[in-house]
Amino acid sequence: MFYAIVAFILWGLFPFYFRILHEVSAFELLVERLLWTCLFLIITLTWRRQWAWIKKVVRQPRVLLVFTCSALLISTNWSVYIWAVQHNKVIDASLGYFMSPLLSILMGCLVLKERLRMLQWIAISFAFIGVAWLTWRTGTLPWIGICMSFTFATYGLLRKVAALGALEGLALETFVLFPAVLYFTVVSIQAGTHAFINGAWDLKILLMLSGPITAVPLLLFAAGARQMPLSLIGLVQYISPTMQFLIGVWFFHEPFGGDRLIGFALIWLALFLSSAEGLWTLWKKRINA
């Protein structure tokens, strides 16, 4: 539990890190993040002598296809999140991570044919009403939250059925994207706009840290998740969006109240119902065991 809690706290602090790097565009920051994550994972895998999984990828093209799709999804999620933080939309980004567990439940029903219980359907309905309310009252679809929740929930679905662990899977995702990362890096260097080369030393250090900052929380979460019940993970994961929401309100002073508060309250109610239903079901199973 300690590992998982630390992972979600680190994820919750991400807005501070990306706000410091506001001078770097969201796209270029995504490229730098993928580049340094790739290098960090190569060093980690070499140190652990953990390269045997490459044979499985070579022998099973389907594994490569699945992780290519997951790489595109997580990179889209990262880029939207970075853009949101840099454009004073941290609260909207937190909405996406509040919604993603509910969307994951719905995907489990639609894709994996899992049966949903009545309270789960009610929770999903409240979340849908919350999004509809925000759309109606603000006049615009909350696309940041929807995009982030969809990409993250779909990413989680693919990783659930994937054949590799957390470290190997993240490494394969970054390796798949590395040719594109290398191309855009060369183009920006030739154009004289590369942030790392042209930036001061403090900027260079912050960009280099994007590798471990990306990989370490994920590895901590993977280590903790193996030892925790799924229902407890479902509760702990709300640490991150709650921290991001509070950072957006208290530190970045983003507007929040009125109609937005009502929309968020409906989604928070949906999360409460879903979590309570999960704990109740787990308790009944233990009583009957």
Side-chain angles (χ1 to χ4, degrees):
M1 186 185 296
F2 174 77
Y3 289 150
I5 290 174
V6 171
F8 283 111
I9 290 176
L10 292 174
W11 279 326
L13 294 172
F14 269 17
F16 290 125
Y17 173 74
F18 291 120
R19 183 61 67 89
I20 293 173
L21 294 169
H22 66 277
E23 60 188 277
V24 183
S25 69
F27 178 76
E28 188 169 2
L29 188 50
L30 172 66
V31 172
E32 290 290 328
R33 189 179 182 183
L34 289 168
L35 174 64
W36 294 108
T37 300
C38 184
L39 295 176
F40 175 80
L41 291 173
I42 289 174
I43 294 172
T44 302
L45 289 168
T46 302
W47 174 62
R48 292 168 59 95
R49 298 180 181 178
Q50 198 169 336
W51 289 101
W53 55 274
I54 292 291
K55 297 179 180 178
K56 180 184 291 188
V57 176
V58 174
R59 294 171 182 171
Q60 302 179 23
R62 181 178 176 274
V63 174
L64 181 60
L65 177 62
V66 169
F67 277 93
T68 299
C69 294
S70 66
L72 295 174
L73 286 167
I74 197 62
S75 60
T76 301
N77 183 274
W78 288 351
S79 60
V80 172
Y81 180 77
I82 295 169
W83 184 91
V85 172
Q86 292 184 338
H87 289 78
N88 302 315
K89 302 288 186 181
V90 175
I91 294 178
D92 292 340
S94 72
L95 175 65
Y97 289 124
F98 278 126
M99 291 168 53
S100 62
L102 298 169
L103 190 57
S104 295
I105 293 174
L106 183 60
M107 285 186 173
C109 172
L110 298 177
V111 180
L112 301 180
K113 307 303 180 182
E114 297 176 352
R115 286 191 62 184
L116 298 189
R117 295 175 290 273
M118 178 61 68
L119 206 55
Q120 290 177 313
W121 279 115
I122 294 174
I124 292 173
S125 299
F126 272 117
F128 177 80
I129 294 171
V131 172
W133 170 268
L134 290 171
T135 302
W136 176 49
R137 298 302 296 175
T138 62
T140 58
L141 193 70
W143 67 270
I144 294 175
I146 292 175
C147 180
M148 292 189 62
S149 61
F150 175 78
T151 53
F152 195 75
T154 309
Y155 173 78
L157 177 65
L158 289 179
R159 291 302 302 267
K160 181 179 177 64
V161 299
L164 297 177
L167 177 60
E168 298 89 342
L170 180 61
L172 182 55
E173 287 165 353
T174 56
F175 295 165
V176 165
L177 295 173
F178 186 76
V181 169
L182 185 61
Y183 170 78
F184 288 113
T185 300
V186 171
V187 169
S188 63
I189 291 174
Q190 291 177 341
T193 60
H194 195 263
F196 181 82
I197 291 179
N198 299 329
W201 275 105
D202 56 346
L203 180 62
K204 295 180 190 291
I205 293 172
L206 286 171
L207 290 174
M208 291 174 65
L209 287 174
S210 64
I213 283 175
T214 297
V216 168
L218 182 60
L219 299 179
L220 283 172
F221 171 72
R226 285 194 295 267
Q227 309 293 331
M228 295 171 59
L230 188 60
S231 59
L232 190 55
I233 295 174
L235 294 177
V236 172
Q237 70 177 325
Y238 299 133
I239 292 175
S240 176
T242 301
M243 287 180 62
Q244 294 172 12
F245 170 78
L246 295 176
I247 288 172
V249 173
W250 289 347
F251 290 92
F252 298 157
H253 306 293
E254 296 182 11
F256 183 76
D259 293 333
R260 294 187 76 190
L261 176 59
I262 294 173
F264 269 74
L266 287 167
I267 293 170
W268 289 334
L269 176 60
L271 292 174
F272 172 78
L273 292 174
S274 176
S275 300
E277 196 277 339
L279 290 174
W280 172 256
T281 302
L282 178 64
W283 180 78
K284 285 201 304 182
K285 287 182 179 179
R286 289 183 175 180
I287 292 295
N288 296 329

